[in-house]
Amino acid sequence: MGEEPPRRTEVNDRLKNQDRRINKELREGEITKGQARELHSQDHAIRQEERTMSKFNNGHITPAEQKSLNQQENAVSREIGK
């Protein structure tokens, strides 16, 4: 399998970073296990949506799809560290 297209890489790198942030906040007692589980669930849904989108465009996502995914990631990001 080849390298991931740039827009997909950016979206997935952000998801990986958010995963690390959630785990860090959980370790530091900033959020509960339930909150972490919900945040991970939201990120998982975004990742699934990204994968579904890419299936319809030969492994790529469009700029509009990337914008939509980024907006969803921004919403989750704001919830981390409240």
Side-chain angles (χ1 to χ4, degrees):
M1 195 161 130
E3 207 172 293
E4 195 172 70
R7 281 191 282 275
R8 290 189 68 195
T9 298
E10 181 185 313
V11 168
N12 287 316
D13 284 351
R14 282 195 67 194
L15 288 169
K16 289 174 198 166
N17 184 51
Q18 285 186 178
D19 182 62
R20 285 190 295 270
R21 288 177 54 213
I22 294 165
N23 291 334
K24 180 178 185 274
E25 297 231 338
L26 178 60
R27 275 193 316 272
E28 293 176 354
E30 298 291 324
I31 59 175
T32 66
K33 285 183 182 179
Q35 289 168 315
R37 189 174 19 245
E38 176 59 28
L39 291 166
H40 282 302
S41 177
Q42 291 176 41
D43 272 353
H44 179 73
I46 295 168
R47 187 178 306 272
Q48 288 301 114
E49 185 175 354
E50 181 271 334
R51 287 177 178 158
T52 299
M53 289 173 170
S54 72
K55 288 180 183 177
F56 293 104
N57 195 17
N58 296 321
H60 296 267
I61 59 174
T62 66
E65 290 169 336
Q66 181 184 20
K67 181 178 180 181
S68 172
L69 294 166
N70 278 330
Q71 288 171 340
Q72 293 175 60
E73 290 175 324
N74 291 343
V76 174
S77 183
R78 284 190 294 273
E79 290 182 47
I80 303 169
K82 274 189 169 179

